[in-house]
Structure formats: structure tokens, C-alpha cells
Amino acid sequence: MKPLNPLRLMLICVILAVAGWSATVVTSRYGMATPVLPATALATMGVIVAITLILGIRILRWRNSNKPNSSKKKTLLDPLLAARTLVLAQACAYAGTVLLGWHVGIFLDQLRIWSLRSNQGITWLALAMAAGGLVMIVVGFLVERFCKIPPEDGDTNGTDGKTGRSVRGEATGEGEYAYRGD
């Protein structure tokens, strides 16, 4: 599985900011409601972040408990749980990017008419949703980092004790995912 690409996330965020701004312009032109999520969505975002963090901390605790010279019995980690946690972290980051971009676009449009409105509830709600999206992105990157497993001692594939890349699709360095590159 490929790690998250920050440039791709920024591109998605910019595209959705333009889309959010355009949607707000169109809806305000036709007298429709501003397309912002309700405040209850923050609770849902909080639950998603909490579950992602709990599963990520569980992986981190397992990773830190397996020291090479430890006399403690090593526990096994379910690889399916680790893979699902990684997928959840990446999905959290992508969902946060979508929410951040969309609500930043709405916020920018609302700033244009800031002095004309007496009630700024929509503006503050859009800003809160954007902040929630940013938190989701940070947690996604953090938990993805938790899921990277350091290389074990003696893992050399090259000659003379140097690491090599003899098998296609094999992870070569610390924290890399096994990716075939197809």
C-alpha cells in the first residue's frame, strides 16, 4: 500500500475549495441555503478521529513493546487489524481533506459578505468544519506513521551485508510498505 501523498491531498483540497466556493456563490444567487454541514457532523468527525487514534495507539503500543533484546514474551498482532487500521487512517486523511477543502471554499465566500450580515453562524460553522477536517488529516498522517514497522535485524538481501532490492515488491527501508509498483 502506498503512503499518503501530501501533494495529492493539497490538490484535492484546492479543487474542493474552488467547488465549495462555486457552490456557495450559486446557492446564494438563487436564494438557497448555504451548503455547509450541520454542527452535529463535528460529533461524527470526533468519533471517527477517536476510533482511528485508539486503533493507531494499539498498533504503536505493539510496535514499541517488541524490542530486540527484551526478555518479555512477544505478543502477536493480527495483521488484518494492522492493515485495516492503516486503511482507516488513510481514509480519515482523505475525508478530512474533502471536508477541509469544501468548507474553506464556503468560508472564503462568507468572508466576502462578512460586513453585510448580522448573523455569522454559517461562517463560524464552516470554519469549525474546516478545523475538524484538518484534525482528521493530522490524525490520518499520525496513525499511518504508527503503522510503519521498522526493519528487523539481519534483514539483508544484497551481498556483503548491504541491503539490496533483489525481490520485486519488497520493502527496502525503515517504514516502507511492501508495494509491487505495478
Side-chain angles (χ1 to χ4, degrees):
M1 178 174 278
K2 288 184 179 180
L4 288 170
N5 185 353
L7 293 176
R8 181 181 296 155
L9 292 179
M10 285 176 36
L11 179 66
I12 292 170
C13 187
V14 168
I15 289 170
L16 281 161
V18 170
W21 178 80
S22 300
T24 305
V25 167
V26 168
T27 56
S28 64
R29 179 170 291 157
Y30 291 109
M32 297 166 42
T34 305
V36 65
L37 287 176
T40 56
L42 286 172
T44 305
M45 292 164 67
V47 169
I48 292 169
V49 164
I51 290 172
T52 306
L53 266 177
I54 288 169
L55 291 174
I57 289 172
R58 186 173 173 188
I59 301 282
L60 181 67
R61 286 177 58 197
W62 174 84
R63 191 180 79 179
N64 290 341
S65 70
N66 289 330
K67 301 294 180 193
N69 298 328
S70 173
S71 62
K72 209 166 116 177
K73 183 181 177 186
K74 294 183 179 182
T75 60
L76 294 177
L77 177 71
D78 182 17
L80 194 56
L81 173 71
R84 287 179 178 167
T85 302
L86 178 62
V87 170
L88 178 63
Q90 290 186 351
C92 185
Y94 278 112
T97 301
V98 169
L99 291 169
L100 175 66
W102 183 263
H103 289 94
V104 162
I106 293 171
F107 179 75
L108 292 175
D109 181 66
Q110 295 298 312
L111 282 181
R112 182 176 54 94
I113 57 173
W114 180 272
S115 62
L116 302 175
R117 284 191 164 178
S118 59
N119 183 8
Q120 303 299 335
I122 297 289
T123 308
W124 294 117
L125 186 58
L127 187 62
M129 289 295 164
L134 186 62
V135 168
M136 288 179 76
I137 294 169
V138 168
V139 166
F141 271 109
L142 188 66
V143 172
E144 183 191 42
R145 181 79 177 147
F146 292 169
C147 292
K148 291 184 180 179
I149 298 174
E152 294 182 21
D153 293 338
D155 284 349
T156 58
N157 296 328
T159 57
D160 299 328
K162 297 178 184 173
T163 59
R165 192 165 190 141
S166 60
V167 179
R168 182 176 168 198
E170 187 174 334
T172 59
E174 178 179 346
E176 288 191 28
Y177 303 116
Y179 178 67
R180 291 177 30 144
D182 295 341

